[in-house]
Amino acid sequence: AYIPDTYNNRIQAFALNGSYLFEFGNRWDKTYSFKLPTDIIASEDKLYVLDKGNSMVKVFNLSGAPLLSFGGKAKSSPGLWHPQGFDIIDNKLYIADTYNHRVVIYDINSTFFKSFGMKGKGPGNFRTPTDLAIDNNFVYVVDTQNQRVQKFDLDGNYIAHWGTYTSREEGFRFPFGIAAINSLVYVSDSNNPRIKVYTDNGPLLDI
């Protein structure tokens, strides 16, 4: 297991029994530098690290040796601005480009593919999306300041959304993280605080 140790600006690796294996990265090392790494994906023989503070995706082998980096702080494509969560499918990375209020898609070799969404409150738009998850060829985005989850197809076409600002069961107070598996969507409702479980179309199943 690989853990982004965000405020220590490093990645730590552990065996499945919890024993420590190794670590790499710090804020000052030019080869391995991180500034607030927030998410990591292990896919085949590579590690993809979302380096929020540097607004970059950094790619390593499974031992932590650097291979590639891309992105960079910018308010227009193909740059990123403090991204916080991402997921992978069909050799494409879908990134919650938080301060640009959109989702950006790259292939795994750093080629920009497309983006969707912009700052706003309407369906398909975002205000500081902090995380996303992919399941059954749908993309679920935590639209944090709009207090909702939005659902898209893989091309970025809007399908549905649910949530509103409230402490009651039907709403959120600054949802932050999301996971989706087997047609269930798990959302960390950070300021309520609780984990909420939904079907893939929005009805609440459990808290």
Side-chain angles (χ1 to χ4, degrees):
Y2 298 89
I3 309 298
D5 186 3
T6 302
Y7 290 100
N8 282 319
N9 298 297
R10 63 186 177 183
I11 303 299
Q12 297 199 63
F14 296 86
L16 293 181
N17 65 5
S19 59
Y20 171 84
L21 297 175
F22 63 91
E23 66 184 64
F24 61 94
N26 63 61
R27 187 167 182 173
W28 312 115
D29 186 328
K30 291 183 179 179
T31 302
Y32 296 95
S33 66
F34 297 115
K35 186 178 180 182
L36 305 176
T38 54
D39 205 355
I40 188 168
I41 295 171
S43 179
E44 298 181 355
D45 60 345
K46 294 182 176 64
L47 300 173
Y48 301 86
V49 179
L50 199 55
D51 189 1
K52 172 189 172 182
N54 288 314
S55 297
M56 300 183 77
V57 176
K58 296 184 176 180
V59 187
F60 302 83
N61 68 20
L62 296 182
S63 299
L67 301 173
L68 177 69
S69 63
F70 55 92
K73 185 176 179 179
K75 294 183 179 181
S76 60
S77 300
L80 302 167
W81 192 8
H82 293 328
Q84 296 194 58
F86 65 165
D87 207 346
I88 188 169
I89 187 172
D90 297 334
N91 292 322
K92 290 187 174 69
L93 293 167
Y94 288 68
I95 302 170
D97 188 9
T98 304
Y99 284 12
N100 281 324
H101 312 284
R102 64 183 180 179
V103 172
V104 176
I105 308 172
Y106 290 87
D107 73 18
I108 58 174
N109 296 311
S110 79
T111 301
F112 173 77
F113 183 64
K114 69 181 296 184
S115 66
F116 59 90
M118 63 178 62
K119 187 174 183 178
K121 298 181 180 181
N125 292 329
F126 304 107
R127 291 194 300 156
T128 60
T130 53
D131 201 7
L132 59 79
I134 299 172
D135 185 48
N136 293 330
N137 293 318
F138 295 110
V139 183
Y140 301 90
V141 183
V142 174
D143 187 8
T144 299
Q145 287 196 6
N146 282 326
Q147 315 294 336
R148 64 188 179 187
V149 171
Q150 296 202 67
K151 179 179 180 180
F152 301 84
D153 66 20
L154 293 178
D155 291 322
N157 297 306
Y158 168 83
I159 296 173
H161 72 268
W162 63 88
T164 187
Y165 182 76
T166 179
S167 59
R168 296 190 298 270
E169 289 185 0
E170 66 269 20
F172 299 113
R173 292 175 64 216
F174 298 98
F176 199 83
I178 192 167
I181 186 171
N182 297 329
S183 299
L184 295 177
V185 180
Y186 301 80
V187 182
S188 62
D189 188 9
S190 61
N191 280 15
N192 270 326
R194 57 197 176 192
I195 302 295
K196 304 177 76 172
V197 186
Y198 296 87
T199 69
D200 57 359
N201 289 312
L204 179 65
L205 294 179
D206 199 5
I207 297 178

